[in-house]
Structures are given as structure tokens and as C-alpha cells.
Amino acid sequence: MSSNLLNATIGELQKLLESGKVSSVELNQQFVDHIEKHNSEVNAFIFVDKDFILEQAKASDERRSSSSLLSSLDGIPIAIKNNIAIEDQRLTCGSHILENFVSPYDATVTTRLKQQGMVLYSGLNMDEFAMGSTTESSYFGATSNPWNTERSPGGSSGGSSASVAARFVPVSLGSDTGGSIRQPGAFCGVYGLKPTYGQVSRYGLVAFASSLDQIGPLSHSVEDCAKVLDIIAGHDERDSSSYPTLDINYLQEIQNLEDYRPRIGIPKEYFAHDIDPEAAKAIDAVIDFYKTKGCEVKDITLPNTDLALSTYYIIATAEASSNLARFDGIRYTHRSGEAKNIMDTYFMSRGEGFGEEVTRRVILGTFALSSGYHDAYYSKAQKVRTLIRRDFETAFEDIDLVLTPTAPTPAFKKGENADDPLMVYLNDIFTIPVNLAGLPGLSVPCGFTQTGLPLSYQLIAPYFKEEHLLKTAKLFEDAHDYHNQHPQF
Ligand code: GLN
């Protein structure tokens, strides 16, 4: 019973709560006990506020006994990346500079989850300010991959993926600017969905690169992903990039797939890259599966793919340098004790507060935006971004989805590329174009290497066609068991 509960999907937990076999306090206590026992091995959580968790669970039980439940997800746990604001909880962004910052308000996604009565777990570890692909740049120590603690869980939402893989929580939220939900999802063998830019409010998400950032769920099943998306998607007047609410219920969409046979495009540029042989074999098997199912699979071209990485590293760093200017040691951040005047306060507080990777990006971004270089770098990158977007738009004229690997390799060893940031940047080649174009992408578990590391593929859909991602992934999930595997402790 106890391990069943930890391995359960949201749907199974809902049934347990409905049947009265377990209360929300009992259920959440089991997850908290599991976290307390094993978080030191994984470091998925920077901090765990047990009282906060159990108070929410108690309130849910009270609503249940007075028949005033807020939704069918009332009492179900969900963990939140520590760059998404929860009122009165620390919001560190994995950084020394925000180590003791407590959020005075809720992000819109937080409000929406609270309105459903879900039990929020704060404090998920992440790369500092979401810059990275390994969760090693966190000021609070690296997160480990639950499948093999010598390995990285991916990043920057490594706490979000590791916590779900380790069954610390059934579902979590991450943020994705260049792959940070999908790649950690892939490394940890869980689903990771980056919605269309504008689909989920960014209000209360600490900005990294505002034209690329999106919040999305990581989960054990397509259904759980759909359930969370149904809650968090929709218009928010507090986010100027927020899109009008769509009239769609994703959970409903994935119920009947009998006649659903999407047309799938395979971009030849993606497969021209060095892909780990075991990962490549798994993708081939996935493509064969869809063909056998009767889906039309055809080769497509996305000719500007190879320009995506350099474009991203101009745009993302430029936006980051501007967004991070607010952390100046004056208002709510770490302030250097050594500073003697205002200029020293800025320089020293930022110097002490930011880690190496964040500093590198602020410098890169400031350079790209500086006068005399703006046109050569930033303006040019914006133009290339348009080309990348158009590549996808043209491809989608006669397909429903694009299928690619999520990452060229399975989880890397911790510390493997510590001295070579470029190697780490290159690993994002398959996820970054999706953010540049603003499209939705989903990473889907599809097997394991000989040594037991998860493998995954990525589906990319046209704007606001998340239902295609979920339905196509569900076709695969219904015929396989990878998503039900879990690491042993
Ligand atoms: N790995 C990429 C980067 O370091 C993407 C990060 C993200 O999506 N937040 O910028």
C-alpha cells in the first residue's frame, strides 16, 4: 500500500481520496516521509516546508468532510520549481543572491493550483536563475538523477524532474526557456511539457528570457500532464504576452484515440547531428511504432536549425542581462557587507550573489546589447529567429507534428562538462528551436539504455495545438510500459 501510493498517478490518488481509504494528510505525510528519507541522496528540494504542506492537506480534508471540495484534484500534491512565486515561501531561484527572499505574492499558476485545492510543495532545486542543463549551477548543491545518482537529472528544472522520478511527488511544475522542462524530463524518464508561448501565464515566474520562458508540468502519465495543463493554461491580464483562453479540455481530448492518426514529420537536420547510438535506436523504434499504427510519417526539412543555438545564446543572454539588472543589493537581494558606497553595493552584491554561469551570461548579454554591437548581434539574431519560426510554419502546412530526439544523449555524468560550457550548450540543439519559434513541445519516455538510463523523444506541434502532443504521446503510452518504471532506492 505505502509504495503503491508513492508510485500512483494523480488519477489513482484521486480514487484513493474519493474512496476515503486515505485522507489527504495521510497521503501527503507519506510523500513527505519519503522526501525526508531520500532527499539527501537526490537533493531535488532545496528546502521542504512540512508545516506548509500538511496545513494545506488538513484544509483539504476539512473541505472533504464538509462536502465543499474545490475540485477533483483537491488534496493532491504538486511540487513547484523555486523560480515560481508562492506567497510567504522562499523564492531562491537556486541563487545566493535570493537565498533569503520570501515571496510576498502568488504567481498566477500558484493561484490557479490553490483554487483547485492542490497541495503545493515549494523549494524545488534548479540551475541558478534557470541557466543551465544539469542543475549543477544551483547555489544549494547539485541535484542527482534518481536513476543513477552519479548522473545529472538534466536542467534547469532538475529538481522538478528528479522529484517526480524519485516519487517525491506525483507531478511538478518547471520552467522552459530553451529546453529546461523537456530535457530534464528526458533525463529522468518522465513527461515534460512546454506549452505554446502565451498559453500559461508567466506572472510570478522570475524572468530569465521573457520572450522564451514558459511554465509547464512534469508527470508520470499523459493524463496527469493534461490535468495540470487544464488548470494552468488560459488568459491572464497580468501577463502581457498571455493569449486568450482556448475553449478546450485536454483531459477530454485524450479520451478517445481510436481514429486519431496524426501526420508526423521527421526533420532531417536533427538526425544529421551526432546522436548517441542507443538513443537513436530508441527513436527508430518509436518511428516504426507510429508507422505500424497507421500514421503517415514523412521526412521534412527545417533548414535553419543549425543557426538556433547561436541565435538563442544572443537573445537569451541579452534578455537575461536586462531582467537580472533588478538584483542590485538595494531592495530584496543579498547585500554585500563590505560595500562602502552605492557603486560598491551594486558591484559587490552582484559579484558575491551571482554564480559563475549567471555572471557569464550577464556579461555576454550586456555585450550583445551594447551600442555598436546591437545591430551585429541582437538585431541579427532576431531576424534569424524569424527564419527558424518560418521553417516550422512551412513544415506544418502538411504535417500535424514534428518528432525528434529530446536530447542527443542520455543523462550526462555529474561534473562531466564542468570546464566546457559550450559542450553543455550544444546538448540543447533539439529543444532550443522550439522556444525560439514559441511552439509547444513534449518530451516522452521511450526506453532505457543498457545501463538503465531513461531515453526519450520530443514531439513538437503547431501553435496552441497541445492536444496533438498529448494525443500522439498517449497512442505510444497506451502500447508501452516505460512510464510505469521507477528507480529503486
Ligand atoms: N539549457 C538552456 C540554458 O542554459 C535552457 C535553460 C532553460 O530552459 N531554462 O539556457
Side-chain angles (χ1 to χ4, degrees):
M1 167 74 184
S2 120
S3 77
N4 281 347
L5 192 154
L6 298 177
N7 294 335
T9 61
I10 294 183
E12 289 157 351
L13 293 175
Q14 283 174 295
K15 286 202 189 95
L16 281 172
L17 287 173
E18 276 158 26
S19 69
K21 287 200 183 105
V22 63
S23 70
S24 180
V25 167
E26 284 162 351
L27 184 152
N28 281 282
Q29 184 70 55
Q30 285 204 31
F31 282 104
V32 169
D33 289 347
H34 185 51
I35 295 169
E36 287 189 332
K37 200 156 157 212
H38 294 292
N39 191 47
S40 59
E41 293 153 63
V42 182
N43 201 25
F45 285 94
I46 297 169
F47 60 90
V48 180
D49 188 339
K50 193 169 156 178
D51 292 343
F52 174 60
I53 295 167
L54 295 176
E55 257 167 44
Q56 297 172 79
K58 188 161 162 263
S60 171
D61 284 335
E62 282 164 10
R63 287 192 292 271
R64 193 170 295 275
S65 57
S66 62
S67 303
S68 55
L69 286 177
L70 296 171
S71 77
S72 62
L73 292 169
D74 205 318
I76 302 284
I78 180 163
I80 312 290
K81 185 174 179 178
N82 206 213
N83 59 351
I84 299 172
I86 304 177
E87 190 180 342
D88 293 335
Q89 292 286 299
R90 282 168 67 203
L91 184 63
T92 70
C93 293
S95 182
H96 181 36
I97 209 161
L98 286 175
E99 185 174 6
N100 298 311
F101 175 65
V102 174
S103 174
Y105 68 93
D106 278 333
T108 295
V109 290
T110 307
T111 306
R112 287 180 178 228
L113 295 169
K114 283 182 174 174
Q115 283 165 348
Q116 303 290 312
M118 289 190 84
V119 175
L120 308 184
Y121 290 45
S122 49
L124 283 178
N125 207 357
M126 56 183 281
D127 277 303
E128 187 177 4
F129 285 104
M131 297 175 191
S133 310
T134 63
T135 315
E136 287 172 300
S137 72
S138 168
Y139 175 70
F140 304 95
T143 299
S144 302
N145 191 315
W147 291 95
N148 177 339
T149 50
E150 307 278 291
R151 301 264 167 176
S152 160
S156 64
S157 310
S160 308
S161 61
S163 62
V164 174
R167 311 273 162 166
F168 289 164
V169 279
V171 64
S172 67
L173 288 188
S175 67
D176 190 314
T177 305
S180 275
I181 291 175
R182 290 158 289 154
Q183 180 258 23
F187 280 17
C188 287
V190 300
Y191 292 90
L193 172 69
K194 182 202 94 73
T196 309
Y197 185 76
Q199 167 79 295
V200 175
S201 168
R202 291 177 297 110
Y203 178 76
L205 166 70
V206 179
F208 162 10
S210 312
S211 74
L212 301 158
D213 299 339
Q214 261 298 275
I215 296 174
L218 294 98
S219 70
H220 290 302
S221 73
V222 175
E223 196 171 297
D224 287 358
C225 213
K227 283 180 181 166
V228 177
L229 184 62
D230 277 327
I231 299 170
I232 62 175
H235 182 67
D236 177 17
E237 62 185 20
R238 293 201 262 204
D239 174 355
S240 59
S241 63
S242 164
Y243 195 75
T245 305
L246 303 173
D247 183 21
I248 189 160
N249 179 292
Y250 295 103
L251 186 58
Q252 209 67 48
E253 288 287 324
I254 57 172
Q255 295 312 318
N256 184 359
L257 302 179
E258 221 158 277
D259 301 321
Y260 181 68
R261 295 294 175 268
R263 296 163 304 162
I264 300 174
I266 312 291
K268 65 172 196 256
E269 292 79 7
Y270 283 54
F271 290 85
H273 278 268
D274 255 355
I275 300 173
D276 170 89
E278 285 184 281
K281 211 168 139 206
I283 302 283
D284 286 344
V286 171
I287 295 173
D288 284 345
F289 166 80
Y290 284 117
K291 282 184 183 156
T292 315
K293 266 274 168 200
C295 302
E296 189 188 327
V297 178
K298 57 160 126 183
D299 291 332
I300 60 158
T301 171
L302 296 169
N304 293 294
T305 300
D306 280 346
L307 302 176
L309 267 184
S310 36
T311 305
Y312 172 85
Y313 276 96
I314 303 278
I315 294 175
T317 56
E319 292 183 13
S321 71
S322 155
N323 276 325
L324 269 58
R326 73 192 69 170
F327 304 115
D328 54 8
I330 302 294
R331 278 164 301 176
Y332 34 71
T333 49
H334 162 80
R335 181 178 300 174
S336 172
E338 309 292 311
K340 304 249 175 339
N341 57 45
I342 182 84
M343 288 316 275
D344 279 2
T345 302
Y346 292 145
F347 286 124
M348 295 172 80
S349 305
R350 285 167 70 81
E352 290 165 19
F354 290 143
E356 198 182 330
E357 184 59 28
V358 174
T359 306
R360 181 172 15 247
R361 302 226 186 169
V362 169
I363 293 171
L364 272 171
T366 308
F367 178 75
L369 289 178
S370 55
S371 84
Y373 294 99
H374 185 285
D375 284 350
Y377 293 105
Y378 188 72
S379 306
K380 201 162 177 189
Q382 293 292 15
K383 289 180 188 151
V384 179
R385 183 176 187 175
T386 305
L387 297 179
I388 292 168
R389 180 167 52 75
R390 284 193 193 143
D391 279 359
F392 280 105
E393 283 168 2
T394 308
F396 284 129
E397 280 169 12
D398 42 23
I399 52 166
D400 300 307
L401 295 139
V402 174
L403 190 153
T404 78
T406 310
T409 63
F412 4 83
K413 286 204 183 82
K414 288 196 284 186
E416 193 172 12
N417 295 309
D419 303 327
D420 193 353
L422 204 57
M423 267 316 288
V424 181
Y425 295 177
L426 289 171
N427 203 267
D428 292 335
I429 179 67
F430 302 143
T431 49
I432 275 177
V434 180
N435 299 72
L436 287 171
L439 295 164
L442 173 68
S443 136
V444 184
C446 68
F448 294 89
T449 64
Q450 299 261 318
T451 56
L453 297 174
L455 295 167
S456 160
Y457 64 99
Q458 171 179 239
L459 295 169
I460 306 166
Y463 299 110
F464 301 103
K465 295 290 181 199
E466 277 80 352
E467 66 272 23
H468 279 305
L469 302 178
L470 298 167
K471 286 157 87 167
T472 307
K474 185 82 166 49
L475 280 180
F476 186 81
E477 181 184 275
D478 285 345
H480 298 86
D481 194 37
Y482 303 121
H483 65 292
N484 281 326
Q485 319 274 330
H486 49 92
Q488 300 298 333
F489 284 101

